[in-house]
Amino acid sequence: MPLQEATEKESLNFNQLCTFESFEEVWSHYGYKSGFKDVIEREFSRTKGITYLDHAGTTLYPESLVREFYQDISRNVYGNPHSHNPSSRLTHDTVEHVRYRILQHFNTTPDKYSVIFTSGCTAALKLVAESFPWRPPTATEPASQFCYLTDNHTSVVGIRGVTSALGVVSLPVSPKEIEARARDVAQSECSSCQTPHLFCYPAQSNFSGRKYSLGYVRGIQARKLYPACDSQGRWFVLLDAASFASCSPLDLQEHPADFVPLSFYKMFGFPTGLGALLVRNDTAALLRKAYFGGGTAAAYLAGENYYVPTPNMANRFEDGTVSFLDVIALNHSFDALHKLTGGMDKVQLHTFGLARYTYMLLSSLCHGNGQPVAQIYSDSEFENPSMQGAILNFNLTDCHGQIVGYSQVDKLASLFNIHVRTGCFCNTGACQLFLGTTNQDVKSNLQAGHVCGDDVDLVDGRPTGSVRVSFGYMSTFQDCQNFLNFVVECFVEKPVEVDQVKLDRLKSNTSSKGSSPCLLTMLTNGKPKHIDNGEHAATEPVVNEYGGKAITKEAKSLGKAQYLTNIYIYPIKSCAAFEVTDWPVCPLGLLHDRGWMVVNGNGVCLNQKREPRLCLIHPQIYLPSNTLLLQASGMDTISVPLENYNEPHQSHGVCQSKLCGDRVQTVDCGDEAASWLSEFLGQPCRLIRQSPDFIRNMKKGHEKGVSSTALSLVNEAQYLMINHASVDLLQRHITSRQESSDHQPLDIYELVSRFRANLVISGLEPFEEDDWSHLIIGNTHFQVAGRCGRCQMIGVDQNTGAKTKEPLLSLSAYRKGKVTFGVYLVHQSLDGSNATLSVGTPMFLYVWTQNDFKQTWLGYHFNLNVCIL
């Protein structure tokens, strides 16, 4: 038979073995949804004709990530986060939101960890090296120890360069020693010895993909494992997650390492040049920092050696301005990852399956004389994704058992457009272990001219490195097939043989055909029923279960007597008011007031300063049907359930946002509301509501003795109250200022709407409310928490969304720079569970002063009591 014909026949036999059907026989967790192939073609079209197998070097980014990021920075102005102007605040809030998303990704919270942005994992490691409180030996205490697993990246071992000059002991530990020399019980703390020690190990070897036990974290901290069990002092753990986090879920709540360095390009492919150090807050106080850069100081003097660091952990260690556009890009990276994969559990199963299948066939592949084709460097047989990552490291051998140099493999792979990684992968320890290279061999190879990163792959016939293939979440079975066919075509002495006994044994190892505990249970969120466009139109009153009616614009009347003139609730923060005649009071304030808010595509809260068209969205509460209606001109009316938090949306469930400096836990309200808002506002948005399990306490008013009070998504306090007499005075002042101009004066109703109060009262004198301390309305006792400082938001016309200079200019001029209007209230007691506030009832006024008591009757057909104490 001619050679060419024989080769085709033999290749065909291997192709029959290397099929997707054979893959499915041993691993069922492939892809993330039925349209996985379409996703690859749409998001990674640039890889057509390329077999990319260097995901441990950097993974690939989806095209939608870059598009969304481009649209984001094209649509928004992001300023330096160290400034306080609107564009800078937008940057600051977005960056803070990204910090939370990073912690959420690793199942922890800002209460437990801080996120310090760096230029990459190496910079994060360098930060630890330079700030850890290393101690030299003293007469009473031993020196600190820097201990590290020999299977560690160069950047970890490089910490030794800092510690060696400080008299710190450097102790390399082999993987076998950790458990072999462990103690059965934790060692008791020696109170007299507080010497800090640091143990560093990788969650996953970047060389072989071996996953080291995450239980080492607590084991070292408790001094049960070697070397901590043999040394007194305080032990801290640095868990290098750079390789692990690319394809595996990491739970820091379960495994609370003190330091976790990351590189985001390994996780997402984009952005590059950005990493982070996650620092356990309980450990943060130990870190010491010598250099201080911009943004890190609470105060310092140029002419005196005086410096006080900022108390914020992240700010203290982020010298200068962070790469904020790259940080903002991370937001889209997380979005893309979750949208395309559904989460890291699924990524782990998908990528491990591809690596396992490649391992099975490559390790079973033989030359025609029965000699194995590959020498694989692994501590496992890829039985379990909790022990082995999506990395396969090997050298190919010829039919005589001689190593084929990795440079030759690399060059031939490039001809086939197959991208692999070769060398020692910045991990000399693992390279020595698996290749059997001694310390003297490394030194001799250097003398022979071999340095890290070159193409000298063999010295005296012995390998200086190896070949590594690694998989990412967008890797396909076709990538496995292309690589294996390449090996067969270029390096296998024909006829191709397979060690069938070994292959059958590997197939029997931990089949995935059964159910897997790693799979996520998807939650579905019931879609609210659609309401016809004409139902509950804006001009129709909405009746609540208490018999009250919403007040339409045509029915508005401010009245002439002195009483509680108006009650407003704002269901969605910064959207239009919903005026009612009576309304229930709940522990957070008026029921459903500021219960929801709109966030942009980066999860940052939108307000009228950033998006003035929010005022054109008219939410209405319909209590009998448990419904929130969203209405706006030109849009169909939609409804959102008032209580939907028991069924979080499958891809946008519980999340966290920043509000007035507070982190608030929220629940997403689903895709229908998100699409509606996005269409109306012309940018990606979502509607979220405060999680019922989350308690946010008020910070304002402590100087007045106001006790800690639970808040909704309000800015400062449960209620905002303004005095109609103050509005009247301000309107007259505005009119007098505008007499010489062509500006249309603001009418009373429009001016009231600018201040977005919950309660409007008809007081005796303008601004008398500034000096009140307590109120009693009906049976509810209120305390004044402080005055409301005003900003440019009161310049937004609530009817059109247009921005104006009034009334801020007139208010500032009249009050001589003290730009406050209205007071914040909190309730101190509720009379039962059915407390309500009502409009249109008689009102009593009680004025208490230090020297006397006076009761004044303020109405003749009202029964609402208001006491001023």
Side-chain angles (χ1 to χ4, degrees):
M1 181 182 296
L3 178 60
Q4 181 178 359
E5 184 178 345
T7 302
E8 289 175 355
K9 182 177 180 180
E10 289 146 6
S11 297
L12 178 62
N13 290 336
F14 182 76
N15 286 339
Q16 288 174 339
L17 177 66
C18 184
T19 64
F20 188 66
E21 289 72 19
S22 66
F23 170 82
E24 288 186 305
E25 289 177 3
V26 297
W27 197 254
S28 60
H29 306 302
Y30 178 76
Y32 314 98
K33 54 182 69 176
S34 58
F36 179 57
K37 182 179 179 181
D38 294 335
V39 169
I40 298 302
E41 292 177 353
R42 182 177 68 251
E43 296 285 359
F44 303 95
S45 60
R46 65 188 184 280
T47 63
K48 186 176 182 179
I50 297 174
T51 302
Y52 185 84
L53 294 173
D54 189 23
H55 293 273
T58 181
T59 195
L60 303 177
Y61 55 83
E63 294 171 17
S64 61
L65 189 166
V66 180
R67 285 197 303 269
E68 292 297 325
F69 175 54
Y70 170 74
Q71 291 175 7
D72 186 349
I73 61 177
S74 299
R75 184 171 53 239
N76 295 296
V77 176
Y78 290 109
N80 188 311
H82 289 167
S83 300
H84 296 284
N85 57 65
S87 61
S88 298
R89 293 305 304 174
L90 177 61
T91 302
H92 174 271
D93 291 348
T94 306
V95 168
E96 292 306 302
H97 176 69
V98 173
R99 289 189 207 271
Y100 169 73
R101 291 198 73 172
I102 294 168
L103 296 178
Q104 184 183 45
H105 183 79
F106 295 108
N107 194 34
T108 188
T109 66
D111 296 333
K112 302 293 184 182
Y113 281 86
S114 294
V115 178
I116 302 171
F117 287 114
T118 65
S119 63
C121 183
T122 296
L125 291 164
K126 185 170 180 284
L127 190 155
V128 175
E130 296 174 343
S131 59
F132 191 82
W134 308 106
R135 291 185 187 177
T138 66
T140 58
E141 290 192 349
S144 294
Q145 294 186 49
F146 165 53
C147 304
Y148 56 91
L149 209 62
T150 51
D151 185 1
N152 249 315
H153 194 278
T154 302
S155 298
V156 173
V157 181
I159 295 176
R160 191 176 63 196
V162 174
T163 61
S164 60
L166 301 175
V168 173
V169 177
S170 293
L171 179 63
V173 179
S174 70
K176 293 181 179 180
E177 289 182 291
I178 296 180
E179 297 182 36
R181 300 176 62 174
R183 304 286 179 86
D184 292 334
V185 295
Q187 302 304 296
S188 60
E189 279 294 331
C190 178
S191 59
S192 62
C193 183
Q194 294 296 306
T195 300
H197 309 290
L198 182 65
F199 179 76
C200 305
Y201 82 101
Q204 175 178 292
S205 170
N206 73 309
F207 184 95
S208 66
R210 173 182 176 178
K211 291 183 178 178
Y212 289 97
S213 172
L214 296 175
Y216 289 174
V217 172
R218 292 186 186 272
I220 292 292
Q221 291 169 338
R223 297 182 56 219
K224 291 182 65 176
L225 298 177
Y226 178 79
C229 61
D230 286 356
S231 301
Q232 295 181 348
R234 301 176 61 189
W235 280 87
F236 301 90
V237 176
L238 183 150
L239 182 69
D240 181 1
S243 179
F244 183 91
S246 62
C247 293
S248 304
L250 175 60
D251 188 341
L252 291 180
Q253 182 172 322
E254 184 69 22
H255 311 289
D258 298 285
F259 308 100
V260 183
L262 303 164
S263 281
F264 292 112
Y265 68 89
K266 292 184 182 292
M267 296 172 61
F268 307 116
F270 180 86
T272 59
L274 183 67
L277 177 66
L278 310 188
V279 182
R280 194 176 173 194
N281 291 338
D282 290 343
T283 306
L286 293 172
L287 299 182
R288 300 291 181 263
K289 190 166 178 280
Y291 175 81
F292 59 94
T296 67
Y300 80 96
L301 293 174
E304 181 182 325
N305 188 17
Y306 177 80
Y307 163 72
V308 178
T310 179
N312 182 277
M313 178 65 185
N315 293 343
R316 195 186 317 159
F317 284 90
E318 290 172 350
D319 291 307
T321 302
V322 297
S323 185
F324 55 86
L325 289 183
D326 286 332
V327 175
I328 291 168
L330 273 185
N331 215 28
H332 301 285
S333 299
F334 279 111
D335 287 342
L337 179 69
H338 287 281
K339 179 181 178 182
L340 298 179
T341 70
M344 295 306 297
D345 293 282
K346 294 186 176 182
V347 171
Q348 177 174 249
L349 291 173
H350 172 80
T351 54
F352 174 77
L354 295 174
R356 179 173 187 254
Y357 186 76
T358 305
Y359 167 80
M360 287 170 52
L361 266 65
L362 185 62
S363 62
S364 304
L365 198 60
C366 297
H367 294 284
N369 63 359
Q371 185 73 27
V373 169
Q375 183 175 339
I376 296 178
Y377 306 119
S378 175
D379 294 299
S380 74
E381 291 189 333
F382 286 69
E383 305 100 328
N384 193 324
S386 66
M387 300 173 62
Q388 176 66 44
I391 292 175
L392 181 61
N393 198 308
F394 60 92
N395 269 317
L396 297 179
T397 59
D398 62 21
C399 62
H400 304 294
Q402 299 298 308
I403 296 291
V404 178
Y406 62 76
S407 292
Q408 183 180 350
V409 177
D410 195 14
K411 291 173 183 177
L412 286 176
S414 297
L415 293 178
F416 285 77
N417 236 346
I418 297 175
H419 301 191
V420 298
R421 177 79 175 266
T422 59
C424 262
F425 323 103
C426 297
N427 191 334
T428 298
C431 199
Q432 285 187 257
L433 176 66
F434 285 108
L435 299 183
T437 306
T438 65
N439 292 348
Q440 185 57 47
D441 289 336
V442 174
K443 298 173 184 178
S444 297
N445 290 344
L446 178 63
Q447 292 176 349
H450 169 62
V451 296
C452 292
D454 67 13
D455 58 358
V456 178
D457 49 17
L458 297 171
V459 175
D460 297 330
R462 300 183 62 182
T464 61
S466 57
V467 181
R468 186 184 71 185
V469 298
S470 50
F471 300 89
Y473 74 81
M474 71 295 299
S475 295
T476 65
F477 173 76
Q478 187 68 47
D479 294 330
C480 298
Q481 197 174 48
N482 290 345
F483 168 73
L484 291 168
N485 284 336
F486 155 71
V487 172
V488 167
E489 183 170 349
C490 296
F491 298 100
V492 178
E493 186 75 18
K494 309 304 184 292
V496 178
E497 290 193 7
V498 173
D499 186 341
Q500 195 63 49
V501 174
K502 183 175 184 178
L503 183 60
D504 291 342
R505 179 175 59 80
L506 293 175
K507 284 183 177 181
S508 66
N509 287 343
T510 317
S511 173
S512 74
K513 299 303 287 185
S515 61
S516 170
C518 298
L519 288 177
L520 294 175
T521 301
M522 303 303 293
L523 300 176
T524 57
N525 187 19
K527 184 178 179 182
K529 295 180 180 179
H530 179 72
I531 294 182
D532 293 336
N533 189 34
E535 189 174 351
H536 300 303
T539 57
E540 298 178 7
V542 178
V543 182
N544 65 48
E545 65 183 1
Y546 296 87
K549 293 185 177 181
I551 300 179
T552 65
K553 186 172 181 179
E554 290 76 7
K556 293 182 186 297
S557 174
L558 294 174
K560 297 180 179 179
Q562 302 203 21
Y563 51 93
L564 182 65
T565 61
N566 308 83
I567 300 175
Y568 298 99
I569 62 171
Y570 303 84
I572 304 177
K573 187 175 179 65
S574 276
C575 291
F578 176 50
E579 188 175 1
V580 294
T581 56
D582 55 84
W583 199 253
V585 174
C586 73
L588 302 185
L590 290 169
L591 183 64
H592 299 307
D593 181 53
R594 274 92 169 186
W596 294 260
M597 67 180 178
V598 180
V599 295
N600 67 11
N602 290 327
V604 174
C605 175
L606 290 180
N607 55 39
Q608 290 187 22
K609 288 184 284 187
R610 292 173 177 166
E611 181 48 81
R613 296 185 75 245
L614 284 169
C615 69
L616 305 181
I617 297 173
H618 294 269
Q620 291 195 353
I621 300 292
Y622 194 57
L623 292 177
S625 64
N626 193 42
T627 300
L628 167 69
L629 303 179
L630 300 187
Q631 301 173 333
S633 177
M635 301 289 291
D636 291 339
T637 298
I638 67 168
S639 67
V640 176
L642 295 181
E643 312 292 344
N644 68 337
Y645 43 79
N646 288 326
E647 299 179 1
H649 187 266
Q650 62 183 19
S651 61
H652 294 273
V654 177
C655 52
Q656 192 174 92
S657 298
K658 239 349 186 21
L659 178 65
C660 298
D662 295 335
R663 290 185 175 89
V664 292
Q665 188 166 302
T666 57
V667 178
D668 191 277
C669 294
D671 290 337
E672 184 181 18
S675 298
W676 191 94
L677 290 166
S678 300
E679 179 182 351
F680 182 73
L681 296 175
Q683 62 171 305
C685 299
R686 298 199 74 84
L687 181 67
I688 59 178
R689 67 163 296 154
Q690 184 168 327
S691 172
D693 301 324
F694 178 78
I695 298 177
R696 175 181 172 231
N697 291 321
M698 187 180 73
K699 295 179 291 187
K700 191 178 183 66
H702 294 302
E703 69 281 359
K704 294 177 173 287
V706 178
S707 59
S708 180
T709 304
L711 301 179
S712 64
L713 300 178
V714 296
N715 283 0
E716 300 286 353
Q718 294 174 332
Y719 308 86
L720 175 59
M721 185 187 73
I722 62 174
N723 180 356
H724 205 285
S726 304
V727 179
D728 289 338
L729 178 63
L730 181 60
Q731 192 219 24
R732 292 196 297 271
H733 192 69
I734 294 174
T735 301
S736 66
R737 285 172 54 86
Q738 293 181 338
E739 285 180 350
S740 58
S741 67
D742 297 329
H743 292 288
Q744 186 74 20
L746 296 173
D747 63 37
I748 288 293
Y749 168 71
E750 183 179 355
L751 192 55
V752 167
S753 71
R754 297 287 186 99
F755 293 108
R756 298 179 61 80
N758 295 113
L759 308 176
V760 183
I761 65 166
S762 182
L764 292 173
E765 299 291 338
F767 299 108
E768 63 176 327
E769 65 276 11
D770 287 359
D771 300 319
W772 296 348
S773 62
H774 294 78
L775 300 173
I776 299 177
I777 303 179
N779 295 317
T780 305
H781 186 181
F782 296 91
Q783 184 173 359
V784 177
R787 302 175 185 179
C788 178
R790 296 299 183 168
C791 63
Q792 66 268 32
M793 187 166 161
I794 62 175
V796 177
D797 188 326
Q798 298 298 296
N799 295 318
T800 66
K803 292 185 177 181
T804 65
K805 296 179 180 179
E806 292 292 0
L808 191 61
L809 280 181
S810 294
L811 181 62
S812 178
Y814 177 78
R815 308 213 73 182
K816 296 182 172 39
K818 185 174 64 174
V819 192
T820 63
F821 196 95
V823 292
Y824 291 116
L825 306 178
V826 297
H827 57 236
Q828 292 190 310
S829 62
L830 296 177
D831 184 17
S833 59
N834 296 320
T836 64
L837 293 177
S838 302
V839 169
T841 51
M843 180 173 73
F844 289 97
L845 171 65
Y846 295 89
V847 180
W848 287 10
T849 65
Q850 228 173 2
N851 300 321
D852 64 351
F853 169 80
K854 179 173 65 177
Q855 175 178 331
T856 307
W857 171 260
L858 294 178
Y860 54 91
H861 66 285
F862 308 100
N863 58 24
L864 177 65
N865 294 327
V866 175
C867 301
I868 306 173
L869 308 182

